[in-house]
Amino acid sequence: MTALSDPGKPALPLHVQIRRDLEDQIRSGVLMPGQKVAFEHELMTVYNCSRMTVNKAMSALSAAGLIERRKRAGTFVKLPRLDSTVIDIPDIQIDITARGESYGFELTERRVRTAVTAKERELAGEDGRVLCLTGLHLASGKPLAVEERLINLAAVPQAEAVDFSHMSPGHWLLEAVPWTQVENEISATEADAELTRRLGIEKGQACLVLDRRTWSGPERITTVRQTYDGTRYRLVAHFDTLRRSAPRP
Amino acid sequence: MTALSDPGKPALPLHVQIRRDLEDQIRSGVLMPGQKVAFEHELMTVYNCSRMTVNKAMSALSAAGLIERRKRAGTFVKLPRLDSTVIDIPDIQIDITARGESYGFELTERRVRTAVTAKERELAGEDGRVLCLTGLHLASGKPLAVEERLINLAAVPQAEAVDFSHMSPGHWLLEAVPWTQVENEISATEADAELTRRLGIEKGQACLVLDRRTWSGPERITTVRQTYDGTRYRLVAHFDTLRRSAPRP
DNA sequence: CCAATGGATATGTCTATACATTATCAAAAA
DNA sequence: TTTTTGATAATGTATAGACATATCCATTGG
C-alpha cells in the first residue's frame, strides 16, 4: 500500500482549495474588507493552473458575497452588510432532541372545518377545508411551546387520516410534504391567560413567537404559530457572515 | 437604430438564464422536490450551448442548495430542510427610515473604562479599555429600542473621539470599521423597571432582544444588546428558501 | 485647465475537449 | 440464486483559447 496521498486529505479540487485559501485569509484578517485580492493571472501562476480554475473559485466567492469584482480594477474584499445573514431555524423536535432533552407532543384540540376566518381563507381559499390542530411541545416532559396549526386539506388530504395525538404535525409535514417556499416571522408577546395556563408559566411573561407559512409550488400547505416559553427556551439564532459560503467538511 | 435586443433585457448571460429558468420551475412547482431535472446533455441541446455553460448554471443551483447532483443518476430537486434559511437583519437606522419613519438617536450614558465585567473582558481582554454607550433609538420621535453597547477601544481607537450624542453608534461602526464576522442571538424578555421607564411602555411588557457580537479578523469590535418595544416594533424576519440563490435585478 | 479619445487591462462569458470519478445496470461467474 | 465484474452514463474537474465588456489611465485636443 503506497501512500500516494494522505487519506485524511482526499485531494481537494484545486478551485475549492483556492477558494478556501482566500476565505481563510478573509476570516483571519490577512485580507481585510476593501483590500485588493490578487489578480486572476497572478493566482494562475501561484497555483500553476488555468484562469478558468481561478475564475471558478473567485466567482463562487463573489456569488457568496465575500468579494467584489470590478473589470479593469480588480477584485476586492467586500464590505459586509448587516442584512442577509444566515440563520438556523430548526424543526422544534430536532432542536430539542439535539440538545439532549426528550421530546414529546400532546394534542389539545383537533377539528376539521371549512375556512371561515381570514387566516383560514388565506390558506385554503373560499370554502376550502382546513385541519385545525392545537397542541403542546414538551421538552423533558415540561411544556415548552404552544402550537396552533392550520393545514390545507386540499393540498395535503392524507393529513386527515393521521393520528397526531402524540406526533408533532410539523415534523410529519416536513417529511410527508416537501415544501418549496417558507415565510417566517419572529415576534414577542406577553403571555395571556390561555398561554399562562397551557405553558404553566406566570401571567404576563415574555414569549417568543414564531409564525411560519409554507408553500409547495403555488399551493399553500400550512400556517403555524409556535409560542415559546421565554424563560426556559430561547429561540436562539446563531449566525456568521462567512457561512454564506459553502460549509466545510 | 436597429433593435438587436430589447433594451429592457440587457442580454442576460446564458448560464444565468438557464439558472433562472430552473429556479422558476422549482418555485412554481413545475419541478417538485425529489423530481429529476433534465440531464446536462439534454439542456445542452435545449439551449444550444456547451456543457460547461449548463454545468455552470447547475453548479450554482447545487451550491445554493436547491438541487442535488448524483453521478450516473442525474440531478434532482432537493428536499428542503427547515434550517439554514436567509434572514434580513438590517441596521436599525436603515430599517426605520426604510419604513418611512424619521430616525433619531439619543445618547443616555457614555463612559470609558477598563474591562472588569465578564462581558467587557470577553470584548477587550484583561485590562483592555472599553467605550460603554447607552442610548435610545427613536422612530418618529418615540423611543423604539434601548441600546447598550461596548466598543473595544484597542480595535477602534477613533471611536473615543466621536460624538455619539445624536448618532447611532452601530451605524457609525458599520461604515467606519468593516467587520468580517457577526454572531446574533434573538430572545424575548419582560420589561423591567428600567426598560419601562426608558421606553415609556408598561411594566412587564414583552420585548424582543437582539444581541450581537462582531469581529474584524481575529479582533473583537463590539458587543451590543438592542431591546425593542414589543408592541410598536416587531423584529420581523421575512425569509424564503429560494433567496439562498442569487437575488433578481 | 478641462474634456474627449483611445489603448490597455482585468474580469465575464463561452466553447470544445479531455480525463477523472462514481453510481447504476446488466452480464458473467460462483 | 447470489456475488462479482465490467461496461456505461452521468457529473466533476481542468485546460487553452477566443471574444465581449467595462473601466482606468494617459494622451490629445480644445
Side-chain angles (χ1 to χ4, degrees), chain B residues 12 14 19 35 40 57 61 63-64 73 79 94 99-100 102 157 173 176 200 206 210 223 242:
Chain B
L12 218 51
L14 190 49
R19 183 159 61 75
Q35 233 179 305
E40 290 189 347
L61 287 175
L79 294 163
I94 294 169
R99 56 181 75 193
S102 74
L173 273 170
L210 175 62
T223 296
L242 289 176

mmCIF file of all heavy atoms in Angstrom, chain B residues 12 14 19 35 40 57 61 63-64 73 79 94 99-100 102 157 173 176 200 206 210 223 242:
data_model
loop_
_atom_site.group_PDB
_atom_site.id
_atom_site.type_symbol
_atom_site.label_atom_id
_atom_site.label_comp_id
_atom_site.label_asym_id
_atom_site.label_seq_id
_atom_site.Cartn_x
_atom_site.Cartn_y
_atom_site.Cartn_z
ATOM 1 N N LEU B 12 -29.136 38.904 -20.849
ATOM 2 C CA LEU B 12 -28.699 38.129 -19.690
ATOM 3 C C LEU B 12 -27.785 37.003 -20.165
ATOM 4 O O LEU B 12 -28.080 36.329 -21.136
ATOM 5 C CB LEU B 12 -29.943 37.543 -19.009
ATOM 6 C CG LEU B 12 -29.987 37.491 -17.492
ATOM 7 C CD1 LEU B 12 -29.649 38.859 -16.897
ATOM 8 C CD2 LEU B 12 -31.358 37.036 -17.049
ATOM 9 N N LEU B 14 -26.139 33.499 -20.707
ATOM 10 C CA LEU B 14 -26.888 32.268 -20.910
ATOM 11 C C LEU B 14 -26.952 31.408 -19.653
ATOM 12 O O LEU B 14 -28.005 30.857 -19.317
ATOM 13 C CB LEU B 14 -26.256 31.479 -22.055
ATOM 14 C CG LEU B 14 -27.055 30.282 -22.559
ATOM 15 C CD1 LEU B 14 -28.501 30.668 -22.829
ATOM 16 C CD2 LEU B 14 -26.410 29.727 -23.810
ATOM 17 N N ARG B 19 -30.153 29.121 -15.195
ATOM 18 C CA ARG B 19 -30.371 29.016 -13.748
ATOM 19 C C ARG B 19 -31.730 29.594 -13.378
ATOM 20 O O ARG B 19 -32.484 28.999 -12.604
ATOM 21 C CB ARG B 19 -29.252 29.765 -13.014
ATOM 22 C CG ARG B 19 -29.327 29.656 -11.514
ATOM 23 C CD ARG B 19 -28.000 29.935 -10.847
ATOM 24 N NE ARG B 19 -27.476 31.259 -11.092
ATOM 25 C CZ ARG B 19 -27.920 32.376 -10.534
ATOM 26 N NH1 ARG B 19 -28.923 32.303 -9.682
ATOM 27 N NH2 ARG B 19 -27.379 33.529 -10.804
ATOM 28 N N GLN B 35 -38.019 15.419 -7.627
ATOM 29 C CA GLN B 35 -38.154 15.147 -9.062
ATOM 30 C C GLN B 35 -36.825 15.311 -9.796
ATOM 31 O O GLN B 35 -35.949 16.039 -9.350
ATOM 32 C CB GLN B 35 -39.177 16.123 -9.646
ATOM 33 C CG GLN B 35 -40.293 15.446 -10.415
ATOM 34 C CD GLN B 35 -41.277 16.472 -10.933
ATOM 35 O OE1 GLN B 35 -41.806 17.264 -10.155
ATOM 36 N NE2 GLN B 35 -41.505 16.462 -12.234
ATOM 37 N N GLU B 40 -27.552 17.246 -18.208
ATOM 38 C CA GLU B 40 -26.776 18.333 -18.809
ATOM 39 C C GLU B 40 -26.828 18.268 -20.327
ATOM 40 O O GLU B 40 -27.036 19.283 -20.992
ATOM 41 C CB GLU B 40 -25.320 18.261 -18.338
ATOM 42 C CG GLU B 40 -25.140 18.608 -16.872
ATOM 43 C CD GLU B 40 -23.684 18.737 -16.488
ATOM 44 O OE1 GLU B 40 -22.833 18.313 -17.283
ATOM 45 O OE2 GLU B 40 -23.406 19.269 -15.409
ATOM 46 N N ALA B 57 -24.542 26.750 -14.586
ATOM 47 C CA ALA B 57 -25.863 27.043 -14.034
ATOM 48 C C ALA B 57 -26.235 26.011 -12.969
ATOM 49 O O ALA B 57 -26.677 26.361 -11.872
ATOM 50 C CB ALA B 57 -26.902 27.055 -15.153
ATOM 51 N N LEU B 61 -26.805 26.308 -8.720
ATOM 52 C CA LEU B 61 -28.016 25.871 -8.019
ATOM 53 C C LEU B 61 -27.667 24.841 -6.952
ATOM 54 O O LEU B 61 -28.268 24.810 -5.881
ATOM 55 C CB LEU B 61 -29.021 25.275 -9.010
ATOM 56 C CG LEU B 61 -29.720 26.277 -9.915
ATOM 57 C CD1 LEU B 61 -30.591 25.559 -10.930
ATOM 58 C CD2 LEU B 61 -30.579 27.219 -9.075
ATOM 59 N N ALA B 63 -24.798 24.667 -5.360
ATOM 60 C CA ALA B 63 -24.145 25.389 -4.262
ATOM 61 C C ALA B 63 -25.173 26.118 -3.415
ATOM 62 O O ALA B 63 -25.023 26.240 -2.205
ATOM 63 C CB ALA B 63 -23.119 26.376 -4.830
ATOM 64 N N ALA B 64 -26.243 26.582 -4.068
ATOM 65 C CA ALA B 64 -27.289 27.295 -3.345
ATOM 66 C C ALA B 64 -28.187 26.330 -2.570
ATOM 67 O O ALA B 64 -29.036 26.751 -1.806
ATOM 68 C CB ALA B 64 -28.125 28.122 -4.319
ATOM 69 N N ALA B 73 -26.659 9.009 -11.783
ATOM 70 C CA ALA B 73 -28.102 9.034 -11.540
ATOM 71 C C ALA B 73 -28.744 10.258 -12.176
ATOM 72 O O ALA B 73 -29.788 10.166 -12.821
ATOM 73 C CB ALA B 73 -28.382 9.018 -10.041
ATOM 74 N N LEU B 79 -34.854 18.127 -1.388
ATOM 75 C CA LEU B 79 -35.843 18.259 -0.327
ATOM 76 C C LEU B 79 -35.339 19.323 0.622
ATOM 77 O O LEU B 79 -34.249 19.190 1.167
ATOM 78 C CB LEU B 79 -36.004 16.923 0.411
ATOM 79 C CG LEU B 79 -36.600 15.803 -0.436
ATOM 80 C CD1 LEU B 79 -36.333 14.461 0.210
ATOM 81 C CD2 LEU B 79 -38.087 16.027 -0.598
ATOM 82 N N ILE B 94 -31.332 52.196 9.223
ATOM 83 C CA ILE B 94 -31.767 51.971 7.846
ATOM 84 C C ILE B 94 -33.171 51.405 7.819
ATOM 85 O O ILE B 94 -34.022 51.802 7.022
ATOM 86 C CB ILE B 94 -30.779 51.014 7.134
ATOM 87 C CG1 ILE B 94 -29.413 51.679 6.990
ATOM 88 C CG2 ILE B 94 -31.315 50.589 5.770
ATOM 89 C CD1 ILE B 94 -28.308 50.745 6.556
ATOM 90 N N ARG B 99 -38.926 52.248 6.442
ATOM 91 C CA ARG B 99 -40.387 52.162 6.565
ATOM 92 C C ARG B 99 -41.031 53.538 6.687
ATOM 93 O O ARG B 99 -42.171 53.670 7.135
ATOM 94 C CB ARG B 99 -40.778 51.243 7.730
ATOM 95 C CG ARG B 99 -40.206 51.600 9.071
ATOM 96 C CD ARG B 99 -40.655 50.598 10.116
ATOM 97 N NE ARG B 99 -39.947 49.330 9.994
ATOM 98 C CZ ARG B 99 -40.301 48.201 10.605
ATOM 99 N NH1 ARG B 99 -41.393 48.180 11.352
ATOM 100 N NH2 ARG B 99 -39.595 47.111 10.478
ATOM 101 N N GLY B 100 -40.299 54.539 6.283
ATOM 102 C CA GLY B 100 -40.893 55.866 6.142
ATOM 103 C C GLY B 100 -40.969 56.688 7.410
ATOM 104 O O GLY B 100 -41.532 57.788 7.417
ATOM 105 N N SER B 102 -39.152 58.758 10.670
ATOM 106 C CA SER B 102 -37.918 59.501 10.903
ATOM 107 C C SER B 102 -37.130 58.808 12.003
ATOM 108 O O SER B 102 -37.698 58.256 12.948
ATOM 109 C CB SER B 102 -38.241 60.939 11.314
ATOM 110 O OG SER B 102 -38.709 60.966 12.647
ATOM 111 N N PRO B 157 -9.785 52.729 18.096
ATOM 112 C CA PRO B 157 -9.403 53.865 18.944
ATOM 113 C C PRO B 157 -10.094 55.163 18.542
ATOM 114 O O PRO B 157 -10.398 55.986 19.408
ATOM 115 C CB PRO B 157 -7.879 53.959 18.734
ATOM 116 C CG PRO B 157 -7.612 53.217 17.474
ATOM 117 C CD PRO B 157 -8.641 52.148 17.387
ATOM 118 N N LEU B 173 -20.240 52.598 13.249
ATOM 119 C CA LEU B 173 -19.319 51.461 13.220
ATOM 120 C C LEU B 173 -19.395 50.719 11.897
ATOM 121 O O LEU B 173 -18.388 50.285 11.345
ATOM 122 C CB LEU B 173 -19.632 50.492 14.358
ATOM 123 C CG LEU B 173 -18.975 50.765 15.707
ATOM 124 C CD1 LEU B 173 -19.570 49.864 16.770
ATOM 125 C CD2 LEU B 173 -17.472 50.543 15.616
ATOM 126 N N ALA B 176 -17.435 52.797 9.587
ATOM 127 C CA ALA B 176 -16.064 53.124 9.980
ATOM 128 C C ALA B 176 -15.183 51.886 10.092
ATOM 129 O O ALA B 176 -14.008 51.913 9.728
ATOM 130 C CB ALA B 176 -16.075 53.877 11.308
ATOM 131 N N GLY B 200 -40.795 53.989 27.851
ATOM 132 C CA GLY B 200 -42.124 54.559 28.038
ATOM 133 C C GLY B 200 -43.218 53.546 27.778
ATOM 134 O O GLY B 200 -44.237 53.856 27.169
ATOM 135 N N ALA B 206 -43.730 42.501 26.888
ATOM 136 C CA ALA B 206 -42.765 41.657 26.178
ATOM 137 C C ALA B 206 -41.894 42.498 25.258
ATOM 138 O O ALA B 206 -42.378 43.362 24.537
ATOM 139 C CB ALA B 206 -43.506 40.600 25.362
ATOM 140 N N LEU B 210 -32.147 41.679 20.783
ATOM 141 C CA LEU B 210 -31.166 41.264 19.788
ATOM 142 C C LEU B 210 -29.772 41.491 20.343
ATOM 143 O O LEU B 210 -29.373 42.625 20.606
ATOM 144 C CB LEU B 210 -31.364 42.067 18.496
ATOM 145 C CG LEU B 210 -30.340 41.831 17.392
ATOM 146 C CD1 LEU B 210 -30.369 40.389 16.919
ATOM 147 C CD2 LEU B 210 -30.587 42.767 16.216
ATOM 148 N N THR B 223 -19.847 44.717 21.155
ATOM 149 C CA THR B 223 -20.904 43.871 21.700
ATOM 150 C C THR B 223 -22.095 44.777 21.939
ATOM 151 O O THR B 223 -21.931 45.851 22.525
ATOM 152 C CB THR B 223 -20.475 43.257 23.048
ATOM 153 O OG1 THR B 223 -19.372 42.387 22.836
ATOM 154 C CG2 THR B 223 -21.616 42.479 23.683
ATOM 155 N N LEU B 242 -35.729 30.216 -1.500
ATOM 156 C CA LEU B 242 -35.073 30.456 -2.776
ATOM 157 C C LEU B 242 -34.202 31.691 -2.747
ATOM 158 O O LEU B 242 -33.448 31.924 -3.673
ATOM 159 C CB LEU B 242 -36.116 30.562 -3.891
ATOM 160 C CG LEU B 242 -36.756 29.220 -4.216
ATOM 161 C CD1 LEU B 242 -37.837 29.383 -5.251
ATOM 162 C CD2 LEU B 242 -35.710 28.257 -4.720
#
